[in-house]
Amino acid sequence: MLLGRLAQLNFRRSIHVTKSLCSGMGIDGNNILAESLKRQGVEYVFGIVGIPVIETSMAFQAAGLKYIGMRNEQAACYAAQAIGYLTGKPGVCLAVSGPGLLHCIGGMANAQVNCWPLLVIAGSCPEDHEGIGGFQEWPQVESSRQYCKYAARPPSPRLIPLHVERAVRAASAGRPGAAYLDMPATLLTAEVDEDQAQLDYYAADPITLGHPAPSLVSQAADALATAQRPLVIVGKGAASARAEDAVRKLVDATRVPFLPTPMGKGVVPDTSPYCVSSARTQALLKADVILLLGARLNWMLHFGQTPRFAKDVKIIQVDISPEELHNSVKSEVAVHSDIRPFAEALTAELAKRKFSLQPASHPWWKILQEKQTANAEFVKAQSSDTSVPLNYYAVFKAVQANIPSDAIIVSEGANTMDIGRGMLLNNLPRHRLDAGTFGTMGVGPGFAIAAAMWCRDHAPGKRVVCVEGDSAFGFSGMEIETMFRYKLPVIVVIVNNNGIYGGFDKETYNDIQSAGDVTLCTPPTALSNEVRYEKMMEIFGETGHLCRTVDDIQAALKKALAVTDRPSIINILINPQSNRKPQAFNWLTESKL
């Protein structure tokens, strides 16, 4: 009965909007907002409704926007930015006032630092209640501004379309990021004549690509052509820019070894013979000229400084944001440009110089190949050890061998994410979503929901595999219900080591728990022993998978891949003390500036 009432309400709202647009009737802020988003090309809204945005969400649906109701605003915000990255058009996160918007702040910061397009829209208390203790009153525009490229409250219903266009453009243009629009209850319910709303306020032509200065392309070509040990680093910016064809042609033509950043994986396939991810430390340390394509010299690349990089390394930096140039080290060549036109121009320039390395004979390639061989032997030995409890390498070898090669892989955790990055391969761009530049935990289920929605609409049959550490899964695990509600066949793989970074075996854990006051005795990194996360499936009348062996993993993945209308949970119990390969350097190299 409720479903019928909601459908009837949406139908009446749709008729009302249609009539108002055709006859000049009054139109309220909810419908102006919905129509404005639709005309700016927005497709998806993720959120949690309540006062004052319940009717807003229904207006969105009546306008044809796809609404996905989540269980936590932070997860909704993660999903909205992930769909923005996958489609190139900002996803919307809809939240209620006060606490609802504040729960989005972590997601907004993540989108801003991660450079993903996101538009957060939150209701706020009625304007005539401000300053006198209104329900969930909070200075929302001011609170959001430091996490956004654009934050505003439209002053009247007729100006909503103007601010929607500005917010969508700010979130998308240049280096993408977050935008925020504040919608007081009085603004959402206020009506104006349709001809005053200016729903077609602004319909800009697509933003043209920024092309590099020819002289800088020539300088970059000279630096690479004269290098003894050149290296290309392919960043997430190249994936965001849809520059994969141009970057692949550059690498294939020059045969220069390349390293992808975590979400630069797949711009050039991980299986390319020119990928040297397995010799990453050696490649960074020995390279004399490095071409950065949409990658930042931040903590993920050790700031471009010694001891992880050669002291005299020359950097060719290409970025859409001029503010990023010379960020942590002075670049030899700094190019303000979109990645695609630069890569195309550089490929042409290097062809004129007949520049191409020979992997079979070039000394630089020999150095890297020797390191690749040594590291591959370590991984092979670890992944071949299938004794119980399993280690990370054996788990990831089994997962990689049993998932589709074109799957979108979502990953978060500590060792789970770091080791999986090297063993779970991506041969297509924008097919790896992880904790990213901000190192945010809890993003996995939200990212996976967005990826599954994208697959449903744009790549039917493609699968999403969400690989979670047990600690990471705890942040947003209740989004499993969202996956069920929207019939999303996400395969959630939990690599369960009983802790944060590492936990304890059952005997040790029990000894710890009985040693005295558990708040004083239980290590902060410990989680409960062998938690049966897969039993969450039973809440929904389904069965999850508990795995202890490689055979268990293979069987579980086979069953999960056969399911196409609901999620699956595969809980893999591993050795709590399993770790990654010993590192030559600390994982985080401190800046010496």
Side-chain angles (χ1 to χ4, degrees):
M1 188 169 181
L2 176 60
L3 179 62
R5 290 176 62 190
L6 289 174
Q8 191 177 43
L9 176 60
N10 269 336
F11 177 75
R12 289 202 301 267
R13 182 174 299 282
S14 179
I15 293 296
H16 169 75
V17 174
T18 301
K19 285 182 177 179
S20 71
L21 295 179
C22 294
S23 61
M25 292 172 55
I27 181 171
D28 68 13
N30 282 314
N31 287 294
I32 294 171
L33 176 60
E35 290 295 324
S36 299
L37 291 168
K38 184 70 174 178
R39 297 187 188 203
Q40 290 300 325
V42 170
E43 291 184 76
Y44 301 92
V45 181
F46 301 82
I48 296 180
V49 298
I51 296 172
V53 296
I54 296 174
E55 288 202 338
T56 309
S57 65
M58 294 178 179
F60 286 173
Q61 289 180 313
L65 300 174
K66 297 180 179 181
Y67 179 83
I68 300 93
M70 305 284 284
R71 299 305 302 266
N72 180 282
E73 288 94 351
Q74 203 163 14
C77 206
Y78 295 143
Q81 63 196 258
I83 206 74
Y85 174 64
L86 292 169
T87 64
K89 181 66 69 171
V92 170
C93 176
L94 179 66
V96 301
S97 50
L101 182 275
L102 291 173
H103 288 170
C104 294
I105 293 293
M108 294 164 71
N110 188 71
Q112 188 74 349
V113 175
N114 216 30
C115 305
W116 281 3
L118 166 71
L119 172 55
V120 174
I121 298 174
S124 56
C125 81
E127 290 167 290
D128 55 345
H129 292 182
E130 291 182 341
I132 56 173
F135 174 66
Q136 295 185 331
E137 180 183 356
W138 189 256
Q140 296 181 185
V141 176
E142 293 86 346
S143 296
S144 301
R145 185 162 283 127
Q146 64 180 319
Y147 308 102
C148 294
K149 294 177 68 178
Y150 183 81
R153 171 190 287 184
S156 70
R158 68 181 184 85
L159 291 177
I160 290 174
L162 181 152
H163 287 281
V164 167
E165 187 282 327
R166 287 186 177 177
V168 170
R169 176 157 45 96
S172 307
R175 172 172 284 178
Y180 173 68
L181 290 178
D182 195 59
M183 294 288 166
T186 40
L187 180 66
L188 292 171
T189 57
E191 288 194 4
V192 297
D193 289 340
E194 185 274 326
D195 57 3
Q196 293 181 339
Q198 302 181 69
L199 288 168
D200 289 317
Y201 164 75
Y202 194 70
D205 294 329
I207 296 172
T208 57
L209 295 178
H211 285 252
S215 61
L216 295 178
V217 176
S218 181
Q219 290 178 39
D222 288 341
L224 281 170
T226 57
Q228 297 298 310
R229 298 176 300 281
L231 178 69
V232 175
I233 297 180
V234 181
K236 179 175 71 245
S240 181
R242 273 66 178 166
E244 53 267 19
D245 289 344
V247 176
R248 289 181 184 191
K249 289 176 182 177
L250 171 64
V251 171
D252 289 343
T254 62
R255 303 177 186 177
V256 171
F258 79 92
L259 286 174
T261 63
M263 277 185 279
K265 283 164 60 70
V267 172
V268 184
D270 283 344
T271 53
S272 165
Y274 312 120
C275 180
V276 292
S277 290
S278 58
R280 183 180 189 271
T281 297
Q282 189 82 340
L284 295 178
L285 183 60
K286 299 295 185 182
D288 61 352
V289 174
I290 294 177
L291 171 62
L292 286 178
L293 294 176
R296 288 177 280 180
L297 289 175
N298 55 17
W299 68 271
M300 298 183 79
L301 284 173
H302 317 290
F303 312 105
Q305 298 173 21
T306 58
R308 300 300 294 266
F309 287 72
K311 185 177 181 180
D312 56 353
V313 63
K314 296 178 180 178
I315 303 295
I316 304 166
Q317 188 179 12
V318 187
D319 204 285
I320 189 59
S321 174
E323 294 86 354
E324 184 62 31
L325 301 176
H326 310 293
N327 184 38
S328 56
V329 297
K330 187 177 186 304
S331 298
E332 183 77 9
V333 184
V335 187
H336 176 212
S337 173
D338 277 283
I339 302 299
R340 192 199 318 164
F342 174 84
E344 291 170 345
L346 181 62
T347 301
E349 279 293 318
L350 290 171
K352 293 177 185 177
R353 293 162 172 76
K354 298 181 179 180
F355 171 73
S356 181
L357 302 186
Q358 299 301 319
S361 59
H362 197 282
W364 177 221
W365 266 113
K366 288 186 176 182
I367 292 172
L368 295 174
Q369 287 166 348
E370 287 175 1
K371 192 65 176 177
Q372 284 179 300
T373 299
N375 287 340
E377 289 175 354
F378 172 85
V379 171
K380 181 179 179 180
Q382 290 293 307
S383 60
S384 297
D385 178 4
T386 58
S387 59
V388 176
L390 294 171
N391 65 64
Y392 283 104
Y393 295 89
V395 168
F396 287 127
K397 180 183 178 181
V399 172
Q400 172 63 29
N402 289 278
I403 61 174
S405 60
D406 67 344
I408 294 179
I409 298 171
V410 178
S411 184
E412 63 170 330
N415 289 335
T416 296
M417 183 174 65
D418 292 340
I419 299 172
R421 182 181 297 148
M423 298 196 66
L424 300 179
L425 305 181
N426 296 100
N427 291 325
L428 295 171
R430 298 170 295 281
H431 276 54
R432 179 183 170 88
L433 309 176
D434 71 17
T437 310
F438 210 32
T440 306
M441 291 293 103
V443 297
F447 284 2
I449 287 168
M453 289 299 304
W454 181 86
C455 291
R456 173 183 292 177
D457 296 338
H458 301 279
K462 186 183 290 290
R463 300 306 297 266
V464 177
V465 181
C466 181
V467 184
E468 300 271 301
D470 52 329
S471 172
F473 180 72
F475 284 83
S476 304
M478 205 56 224
E479 297 301 334
I480 287 289
E481 189 275 331
T482 306
M483 298 176 192
F484 265 96
R485 193 166 6 113
Y486 292 98
K487 301 181 179 180
L488 301 175
V490 175
I491 300 173
V492 179
V493 178
I494 302 171
V495 185
N496 187 348
N497 70 347
N498 308 332
I500 303 170
Y501 302 107
F504 299 93
D505 60 70
K506 185 177 294 187
E507 182 179 353
T508 304
Y509 180 78
N510 289 339
D511 288 344
I512 290 171
Q513 291 277 291
S514 61
D517 186 335
V518 291
T519 63
L520 300 176
C521 298
T522 304
T525 57
L527 296 176
S528 296
N529 191 265
E530 295 192 0
V531 174
R532 299 293 298 274
Y533 296 106
E534 82 285 353
K535 287 186 173 290
M536 290 179 69
M537 295 289 289
E538 296 178 13
I539 302 172
F540 309 98
E542 301 294 339
T543 303
H545 308 278
L546 178 68
C547 300
R548 296 181 185 273
T549 69
V550 167
D551 288 344
D552 291 342
I553 297 171
Q554 293 171 343
L557 284 169
K558 183 177 180 179
K559 290 178 181 178
L561 288 167
V563 175
T564 58
D565 63 350
R566 61 183 183 275
S568 303
I569 297 180
I570 300 174
N571 183 19
I572 305 175
L573 304 181
I574 71 166
N575 186 337
Q577 299 304 312
S578 178
N579 211 324
R580 73 177 84 181
K581 175 180 177 289
Q583 303 296 298
F585 296 93
N586 290 331
W587 72 275
L588 178 61
T589 304
E590 295 184 5
S591 170
K592 303 301 180 185
L593 291 180

